[in-house]
Amino acid sequence: MSTQQTTFPIQSSATATSRLAQIGLAAFLGLFVVGIAGFSQIEAIHNAAHDVRHSLAFPCH
């Protein structure tokens, strides 16, 4: 007995508008996190973000 399998190509349902919204929200979240850590009055948070920037070779001053 033989069985036949039918496969269908999977198409992405993300539209250009959806992708643009995702990119925009990701950018906003990133800027929000960097802004909170960069301007935090809590010294431990600011210093941790500062050390991470240095470890990633990102110039910060």
Side-chain angles (χ1 to χ4, degrees), residues 15-57:
T15 63
T17 305
S18 174
R19 289 178 196 232
L20 186 61
Q22 291 173 12
I23 291 169
L25 287 173
F28 175 75
L29 179 63
L31 289 173
F32 181 74
V33 169
V34 168
I36 293 297
F39 295 108
S40 176
Q41 297 299 319
I42 302 171
E43 191 172 345
I45 294 173
H46 179 81
N47 289 340
H50 189 239
D51 293 342
V52 169
R53 285 191 298 252
H54 281 294
S55 71
L56 297 173

